[in-house]
Structure formats: C-alpha cells, structure tokens
C-alpha cells in the first residue's frame, strides 16, 4: 500500500496567516493527489484534485502544488471558516490511502 | 441537485452484519464508480473499496476482503455496502462518495457493541 505522510499534524495559525501543509507519498503517485477539508460532523469536502486543480466553488486562497512524491496545500490568507482538518489522499493506486490529517486550531 | 443520500444509523452486536445503502440522484448513475470510505471516531478516513455502477465490478481493500460486499441496483440508482462478522473496531461513520470523491453522502454511523 502507498503510505501518505502529512505534516504538521496540527497548527495554530491566526486569521490572515499564510498556511502550508505538506504531504509525502511513499512512492511516486505522479499528480494523483486530492486535498480535502473536513469539519466536525461533516463529510470530507474535496478542495483540490490532480494535485493543483481547484474544485468549483472553492475560494482562490486555496492552492495545491507538487508531483511525484511531494505535495503542498497552501492557504494564502487564513479565514475563520478555514479552521478544520485537512487530509491528502492518493488516487493513483488502490487502496486509495489518506494522510493522517492536519488540524488547524484557533490560536 | 447532485446528491448521495445514505440510510440511517445502525447499532449491531459483535458477529452480526450491517448493510448500508446510498441512493444517487441528479446525475447519470451508471456513469460513475461509487466508493465507500469509513472513519472511526477521532481517526482519519479509510478507503474500503469501490463498485462500478455500470458493470457491477468491485475492488476491495485487502484488510476487508472476505467481510465486505458492495452491490448496486441500477433500477433505483442505489449502491449497497454490507460488512459481516462485525467487531468493535468496525464502529465508525461510513460514507459513500462518487467516483472523483467530489460528492459524498451524509454518512451513516455504525456502532458495534454488545
């Protein structure tokens, strides 16, 4: 199975901060990488697919980059509604594994 | 609108089976795979498997092989996930998601407890 490792596991930024979350795959997954946002009691919400393709309706402050094994999710200016847990997921090969998550907590 | 609507919460005893449904609407059902993903309390999501809504072919996570069965009914645009020989570690919220993980059901809580 392909292992997905996210860092950091948690973060306490302030509103307006630039936030960067990294995700590393245990082998090359080309650009088959999704980013999700999840709020308590809700299903994950797809933000970015194919490593850098922003889903319709997702604010432009979110962006993704990377290919191969190293990927990044960036929030350019954190807003109050962005406090949530973020997961990366590879959809290169089954089983489609997720990272362990990065929780953004209010400072 | 495009949506997936799941069946309600279940409480099961260890050793029993559970069958969760996921009804699709707002899109051509047979044009997309459907995945099942579960999330134990306080944990990250775990991909369980997927079903081809058109042909019915399946792919399951190795750790669940032999216990999980995914089926579909094209006449009602519904996908089913059955998990057998339940144990406490299967307590989780179970989600269905459309092929690109762009649309998710609301989740179904399955509690396994004696």
């Amino acid at each position: 199975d392909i292992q997905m490792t996210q860092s950091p596991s948690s973060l306490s930024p302030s509103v307006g901060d630039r936030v960067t979350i990294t995700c590393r795959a245990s082998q090359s997954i080309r650009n088959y990488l999704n980013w999700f946002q999840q709020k308590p009691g809700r299903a994950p919400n797809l933000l970015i697919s194919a490593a850098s393709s922003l889903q319709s309706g997702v604010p432009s402050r979110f962006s993704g980059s990377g290919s191969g094994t190293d990927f990044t999710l960036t929030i350019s200016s954190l807003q109050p509604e962005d406090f949530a847990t973020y997961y990366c997921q590879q959809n290169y090969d089954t089983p489609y594994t997720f990272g362990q998550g990065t929780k953004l907590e209010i400072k | 609108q495009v949506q997936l609507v799941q069946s309600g919460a279940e409480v099961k005893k260890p050793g029993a089976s559970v069958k969760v449904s996921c009804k699709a609407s707002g899109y051509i059902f047979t044009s997309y795979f459907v995945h099942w993903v579960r999330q134990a309390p306080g944990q990250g999501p775990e991909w369980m498997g997927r079903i081809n809504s058109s042909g019915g072919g399946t792919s399951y996570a190795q750790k669940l092989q032999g216990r999980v069965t995914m089926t579909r009914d094209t006449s009602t645009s519904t996908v089913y996930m059955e998990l057998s020989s339940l144990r406490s570690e299967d307590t989780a919220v179970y989600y269905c998601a459309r092929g690109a993980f762009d649309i998710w059901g609301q989740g179904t809580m399955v509690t396994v407890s004696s």
Side-chain angles (χ1 to χ4, degrees), chain B residues 11-26:
Chain B
V11 179
K12 296 291 183 181
K13 293 195 182 305
S17 297
V18 68
K19 191 170 186 177
V20 180
S21 67
C22 169
K23 183 174 175 60
S25 61

Side-chain angles (χ1 to χ4, degrees), chain A residues 3-89:
Chain A
Q3 305 304 315
M4 306 300 293
T5 304
Q6 280 182 242
S7 61
S9 56
S10 65
L11 213 46
S12 298
S14 298
V15 172
D17 283 355
R18 181 181 182 88
V19 171
T20 299
I21 298 169
T22 63
C23 179
R24 174 165 289 177
S26 60
Q27 65 182 73
S28 176
I29 57 170
R30 294 167 59 185
N31 72 332
Y32 288 83
L33 192 282
N34 291 328
W35 286 102
F36 296 91
Q37 177 192 67
Q38 188 176 31
K39 296 183 178 180
R42 304 294 299 274
N45 179 45
L46 182 65
L47 299 175
I48 290 171
S49 61
S52 60
S53 181
L54 198 67
Q55 292 298 291
S56 174
V58 175
S60 59
R61 63 181 178 273
F62 290 91
S63 63
S65 65
S67 66
T69 60
D70 293 307
F71 302 87
T72 299
L73 172 69
T74 300
I75 310 172
S76 60
S77 178
L78 196 70
Q79 299 302 299
E81 60 268 29
D82 300 337
F83 288 94
T85 301
Y86 293 84
Y87 295 97
C88 61
Q89 180 214 27

Side-chain angles (χ1 to χ4, degrees), chain A residues 34 36 38 42-44 46 55 87 89 91 94-96 98-100, chain B residues 35 37 39 43-47 50 59 61 95 100-102 104-105:
Chain A
N34 291 328
F36 296 91
Q38 188 176 31
R42 304 294 299 274
L46 182 65
Q55 292 298 291
Y87 295 97
Q89 180 214 27
N91 59 336
T94 58
Y96 295 144
F98 290 81
Q100 79 277 19
Chain B
H35 305 271
V37 175
Q39 191 168 26
Q43 303 299 309
E46 175 189 17
W47 183 85
R50 68 179 180 190
S59 174
Y95 295 101
F101 297 95
D102 56 341
W104 291 63

